[in-house]
């Protein structure tokens, strides 16, 4: 019987390895930018076309490579950063595994131009499918220029799984910003399809943060700087007013390497306890320097998740450093005992209390009731008393009903009754329990309706109809609101604009990472447009589900969850009635989009059995 185990050809082995390192265009961008930074460059330029699918080019003015090094760089496990096993535990550079360029060469068409400063001529290499197709001397500037074209051209299945250009561009911008943040002393630029998106001059860390996150942060950053024998932590946190509904402006770097750590993020959040709302996230750019032997960065292919030798010490240091910074810069909340200038200017404060005014006040019945003996038991019976108009503070029942109608949420003011299986008894009084549940008598017992989940189902079906053809009405904003986002969030919102328009949000791009909210859905109360969009982006980014929903489906679910009236909100009789009526006109009134029940039905015979009848 013939042997069946065979060695894979190099090009196939490289393609398999590439699947771990190069998952999308942004993965290649990260590796190439980190290599440029490791080469000692002071200027790094990133050029992309077609969201990196057609071209990714990184140009640096680093130390360049010799002819032999240029050829060797594309071999698997070839690296200049590791000589022995001990080096793995004291890594201070960025890329280090020696697989990045080999992986890129396995799934793209690569062109390399490189020259050392001491060499007269550089080296030009073309590689396709892991094979060198051309190598020759060339004239070029000192440093390295590497271009990868037609990503996954030889793995069409992988190419088909790439997302839309806007989505892939968002990931590329993410990676670019992370490397640019790690090296503020290096000039970075980024161009996409011939248009420059970023031009970041070399400067201080604060200058780089303001360049990337926007000038609004210039006066809203608090410096963090703590040095110990074990570790150093430095950087900036945003003042509480910069807290946002999205996690976009949060960056942790360990030994200049961007990391994701929910554990350390929690340390920063707890340092902001009682300074920001619970559903908001603080902004920060923090750098941790510690002995490389105390951290293992090779636990994840992207090297964004790392393992500390003692996480609890790092957690305590981070939390203490942020708390100390906030206290040092008097950010912690305090009572203000100074009198407002406007109050000081009032007649009652600035002008003297004349004798005539004093006599008039002391002669009034109201003054007497508070100065006579046993005044707590004294009630003036005289019809002419000053207290006779106390009833005017309260509205009549008719006025109360009108006020309730005016305060009714717009999305609950109209209902078109349609046939339904369950019926709430007419002319019945609904009861709200704990400002969360609605108790309604039905034709067979009673219903216990969860007001938030019920409204979520109503809005989900309404937005679903709008998103699939019948566009919702938009109310134009009298004063359009400008929204500034981080680069990645801006790319995401750009991708969502057509779907947002379908459900009534009219948002237009307005310069670099800025948008103008021109209109909102007709049934949404104006005044909270900015927070609504920010929260929508946050929910969309962290949409968790085992099922792969379409982009539009995610958006509809997020919108329904966001706009639904919340548990704890007091509703009037009319609001409760409209809510229950609309729920039972839905196609699936009994569950939310996520499968939670919207109501429970208690039938009469079940109630009888409970009481032994």
């Amino acid at each position: 019987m013939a042997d069946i185990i065979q060695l894979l050809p190099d090009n196939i082995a490289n393609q398999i390895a590439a699947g771990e390192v190069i998952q999308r265009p942004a993965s290649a961008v990260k590796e190439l930018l980190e290599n440029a930074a490791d080469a000692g460059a002071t200027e790094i330029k990133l050029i992309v076309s077609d969201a990196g699918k057609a071209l990714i080019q990184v140009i640096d003015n680093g130390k360049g490579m010799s002819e032999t090094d240029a050829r060797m760089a594309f071999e698997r496990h070839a690296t200049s950063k590791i000589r022995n096993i001990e080096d793995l535990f004291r890594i201070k550079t960025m890329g280090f595994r020696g697989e990045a360029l080999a992986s890129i060469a396995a799934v793209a068409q690569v062109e390399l131009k490189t020259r050392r400063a001491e060499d007269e001529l550089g080296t030009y290499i073309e590689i396709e499918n892991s094979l060198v197709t051309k190598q020759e001397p060339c004239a070029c500037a000192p440093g390295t220029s590497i271009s990868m074209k037609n990503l996954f051209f030889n793995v069409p299945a992988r190419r088909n799984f790439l997302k839309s250009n806007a989505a892939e561009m968002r990931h590329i911008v993410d990676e670019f910003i992370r490397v640019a943040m790690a090296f503020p002393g290096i000039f970075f630029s980024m161009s996409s399809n011939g248009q420059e998106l970023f031009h970041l001059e070399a400067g201080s860390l604060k200058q780089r943060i303001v360049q990337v996150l926007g000038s609004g942060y210039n006066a809203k950053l608090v410096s963090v700087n703590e040095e110990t024998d074990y570790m150093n932590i430095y950087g900036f946190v945003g003042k509480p007013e910069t807290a946002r509904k999205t996690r976009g402006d949060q960056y942790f770097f360990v030994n200049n390497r961007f990391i994701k750590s929910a554990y350390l993020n929690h340390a920063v959040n707890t340092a902001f306890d009682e300074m920001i709302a619970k559903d908001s996230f603080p902004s920060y750019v923090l750098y941790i320097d510690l002995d490389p032997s105390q951290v293992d960065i090779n636990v994840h292919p992207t090297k964004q998740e790392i393992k500390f030798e003692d996480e609890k010490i790092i957690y305590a240091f981070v939390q203490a450093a942020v708390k100390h910074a906030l206290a040092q810069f008097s950010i912690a909340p305090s009572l203000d005992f100074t009198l407002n200038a406007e109050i000081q200017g009032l007649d009652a404060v600035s002008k003297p209390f004349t004798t005539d005014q004093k006599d008039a006040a002391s002669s009034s019945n109201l003054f007497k009731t508070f100065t006579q003996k046993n005044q707590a038991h004294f009630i003036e019976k005289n019809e002419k008393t000053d207290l006779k108009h106390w009833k005017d503070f309260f509205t009549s029942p008719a006025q109360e009903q009108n006020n309730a109608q005016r305060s009714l949420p717009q999305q609950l003011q109209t209902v078109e009754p349609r046939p339904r299986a369950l019926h709430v008894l007419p002319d019945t009084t609904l009861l709200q329990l704990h400002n969360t549940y609605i108790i309604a008598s039905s034709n067979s017992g009673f219903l216990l309706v969860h007001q938030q989940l019920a409204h979520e189902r109503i809005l989900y079906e309404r937005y679903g109809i709008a998103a699939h053809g019948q566009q919702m009405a938009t109310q134009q904003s009298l004063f359009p609101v400008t929204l500034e986002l981080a680069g990645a969030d801006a790319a995401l919102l750009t991708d969502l604009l057509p779907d947002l328009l379908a459900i009534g949000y009219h948002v237009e791009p307005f310069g670099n990472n800025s948008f103008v909210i021109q209109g909102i859905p007709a049934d949404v109360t104006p005044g909270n447009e900015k927070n609504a969009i920010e929260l929508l982006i946050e929910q969309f980014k962290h949409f968790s589900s085992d099922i792969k929903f379409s982009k539009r489906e995610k958006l509809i679910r997020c919108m329904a969850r966001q706009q639904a009236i919340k548990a704890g909100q007091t509703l009037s009789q009319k609001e409760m009635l409209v809510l229950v009526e609309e729920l039972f006109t839905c196609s699936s009134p009994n569950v939310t989009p996520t499968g939670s029940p919207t109501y429970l039905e208690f039938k009469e015979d079940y109630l009888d059995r409970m009481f032994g009848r």
Side-chain angles (χ1 to χ4, degrees):
M1 189 172 180
D3 297 331
I4 59 174
I5 296 179
Q6 300 176 12
L7 282 174
L8 288 171
D10 284 345
N11 64 322
I12 296 179
N14 286 344
Q15 286 182 13
I16 293 172
E20 182 182 349
V21 181
I22 309 300
Q23 300 169 350
R24 59 184 350 135
S27 309
V29 168
K30 173 183 183 294
E31 300 290 350
L32 296 179
L33 289 176
E34 288 182 348
N35 280 345
D38 285 340
T42 58
E43 292 186 4
I44 300 176
K45 299 176 182 178
L46 170 64
I47 301 168
V48 297
S49 294
D50 196 21
K53 299 172 188 175
L55 170 70
I56 296 174
Q57 183 177 10
V58 172
I59 304 170
D60 70 67
N61 65 347
K63 59 189 176 184
M65 290 181 281
S66 67
E67 181 181 359
T68 304
D69 284 347
R71 181 70 178 262
M72 282 291 294
F74 290 97
E75 298 296 328
R76 288 189 67 194
H77 309 303
T79 177
S80 61
K81 299 158 189 175
I82 297 173
R83 290 290 180 266
N84 51 55
I85 191 66
E86 286 76 18
D87 289 343
L88 274 177
F89 302 101
R90 48 173 180 261
I91 290 170
K92 292 188 176 181
T93 53
M94 296 298 100
F96 66 88
R97 294 186 309 172
E99 291 183 65
L101 292 182
S103 298
I104 290 171
V107 292
Q109 297 163 332
V110 179
E111 293 180 5
L112 172 72
K113 290 181 182 179
T114 184
R115 179 168 79 86
R116 297 180 299 184
E118 62 268 26
D119 295 335
E120 289 186 9
L121 289 175
T123 303
Y124 174 77
I125 294 178
E126 285 184 10
I127 298 182
E128 184 173 312
N129 205 14
S130 297
L131 298 176
V132 177
T133 58
K134 180 186 281 189
Q135 179 173 345
E136 60 187 22
C138 73
C140 60
T144 301
S145 169
I146 183 166
S147 305
M148 51 174 292
K149 302 176 181 179
N150 302 321
L151 182 64
F152 299 138
F153 78 100
N154 54 351
V155 195
R158 293 285 305 280
R159 191 174 179 90
N160 291 339
F161 273 91
L162 294 177
K163 305 295 184 184
S164 68
N165 278 10
E168 294 297 344
M169 198 64 202
R170 178 163 53 93
H171 289 287
I172 290 174
V173 169
D174 271 342
E175 296 295 353
F176 175 82
I177 287 176
R178 290 164 184 172
V179 178
M181 285 281 208
F183 299 96
I186 299 177
F187 165 85
F188 283 89
S189 70
M190 176 181 172
S191 300
S192 173
N193 297 332
Q195 180 182 0
E196 188 173 59
L197 301 183
F198 290 93
H199 186 93
L200 309 177
E201 296 289 349
S204 66
L205 174 56
K206 185 174 183 180
Q207 288 171 331
R208 179 56 50 90
I209 292 172
V210 172
Q211 285 174 338
V212 173
L213 301 185
S215 56
Y217 278 91
N218 198 21
K220 297 180 180 178
L221 294 176
V222 176
S223 176
V224 177
N225 195 349
E226 299 287 343
E227 295 185 2
T228 69
D229 293 338
Y230 184 77
M231 62 173 279
N232 298 332
I233 177 170
Y234 60 95
F236 293 88
V237 294
K239 293 180 180 179
E241 62 261 32
T242 66
R244 298 168 58 185
K245 300 295 182 184
T246 67
R247 293 188 179 96
D249 298 340
Q250 296 183 333
Y251 298 88
F252 257 120
F253 297 89
V254 174
N255 294 344
N256 270 11
R257 186 186 298 274
F258 172 81
I259 66 160
K260 293 179 179 178
S261 173
Y263 189 63
L264 295 186
N265 179 62
H266 186 269
V268 179
N269 286 346
T270 54
F272 275 86
D273 269 354
E274 298 181 5
M275 295 188 202
I276 61 176
K278 288 186 177 180
D279 61 344
S280 297
F281 303 96
S283 304
Y284 57 81
V285 181
L286 294 174
Y287 297 76
I288 295 173
D289 287 345
L290 76 165
D291 188 336
S293 63
Q294 300 292 325
V295 59
D296 184 2
I297 59 177
N298 199 21
V299 297
H300 192 271
T302 65
K303 301 184 283 292
Q304 288 183 2
E305 296 177 18
I306 66 175
K307 187 178 174 74
F308 295 101
E309 189 170 286
D310 193 333
E311 280 192 323
K312 292 183 179 179
I313 290 180
I314 307 293
Y315 183 100
F317 271 125
V318 169
Q319 185 184 45
V322 175
K323 277 188 173 180
H324 182 224
L326 293 173
Q328 187 177 0
F329 287 85
S330 302
I331 301 300
S334 59
L335 293 175
D336 185 5
F337 292 101
T338 60
L339 196 59
N340 188 294
E342 293 180 2
I343 296 176
Q344 290 177 320
L346 294 176
D347 288 352
V349 176
S350 60
K351 292 185 179 179
F353 192 45
T354 64
T355 305
D356 291 342
Q357 289 173 325
K358 182 178 179 180
D359 292 341
S362 58
S363 63
S364 69
N365 290 328
L366 183 61
F367 178 83
K368 292 175 183 176
T369 59
F370 280 92
T371 54
Q372 293 175 358
K373 266 189 178 182
N374 304 317
Q375 66 268 30
H377 307 286
F378 180 83
I379 298 176
E380 178 63 65
K381 295 181 181 179
N382 189 350
E383 286 291 328
K384 296 181 180 179
T385 178
D386 294 343
L387 301 177
K388 67 179 181 179
H389 298 298
W390 66 270
K391 289 186 179 180
D392 293 346
F393 286 102
F394 298 90
T395 58
S396 65
Q399 289 172 313
E400 186 177 358
Q401 186 175 357
N402 291 337
N403 291 340
Q405 173 63 24
R406 282 196 297 271
S407 64
L408 186 66
Q410 292 183 27
Q411 57 262 59
L412 292 180
Q413 286 185 11
T414 58
V415 59
E416 297 178 7
R418 292 192 293 269
R420 58 190 184 277
L422 277 169
H423 293 270
V424 176
L425 294 180
D427 302 324
T428 185
T429 300
L430 303 181
L431 176 66
Q432 189 180 26
L433 185 65
H434 300 306
N435 288 344
T436 300
Y437 304 97
I438 299 171
I439 299 176
S441 298
S442 70
N443 50 354
S444 57
F446 76 88
L447 305 175
L448 185 65
V449 181
H450 192 290
Q451 64 188 42
Q452 181 174 342
L453 300 181
H455 198 209
E456 192 175 321
R457 161 52 67 178
I458 294 167
L459 293 178
Y460 173 75
E461 295 205 1
R462 186 180 299 168
Y463 292 138
I465 293 171
H468 293 90
Q470 299 180 18
Q471 183 172 325
M472 291 186 69
T474 299
Q475 53 177 325
Q476 294 299 314
S477 301
L478 188 60
F479 301 102
V481 178
T482 302
L483 178 66
E484 290 190 8
L485 298 174
D489 290 344
L492 173 58
L493 183 57
T494 301
D495 195 27
L496 293 176
L497 290 183
D499 299 300
L500 281 170
L501 184 60
I503 57 177
Y505 276 102
H506 183 199
V507 183
E508 293 181 348
F510 186 67
N512 191 20
N513 297 340
S514 297
F515 299 84
V516 176
I517 305 172
Q518 299 282 10
I520 60 175
D523 60 355
V524 171
T525 306
N528 201 31
E529 299 90 333
K530 185 176 178 180
N531 286 340
I533 296 291
E534 286 184 346
L535 182 58
L536 186 65
I537 293 172
E538 173 64 18
Q539 290 177 332
F540 192 91
K541 283 195 302 185
H542 299 87
F543 192 96
S544 58
S545 175
D546 296 332
I547 305 171
K548 298 295 183 184
F549 290 115
S550 68
K551 179 180 62 178
R552 183 162 290 191
E553 176 69 12
K554 287 181 184 178
L555 183 64
I556 293 169
R557 290 181 178 228
C558 291
M559 276 292 297
R561 190 185 315 158
Q562 180 196 120
Q563 294 296 332
I565 55 175
K566 301 299 182 280
Q569 181 175 335
T570 305
L571 300 180
S572 67
Q573 276 292 313
K574 182 175 179 61
E575 289 172 335
M576 288 190 285
L577 182 61
V578 171
L579 181 67
V580 174
E581 288 277 350
E582 283 208 340
L583 176 63
F584 291 112
T585 60
C586 291
S587 59
S588 301
N590 55 327
V591 292
T592 66
T594 56
S596 301
T598 57
Y599 70 90
L600 297 176
E601 182 183 8
F602 294 83
K603 294 188 177 180
E604 193 172 355
D605 56 350
Y606 171 71
L607 297 174
D608 288 341
R609 287 199 305 273
M610 287 179 64
F611 290 96
R613 304 292 291 176

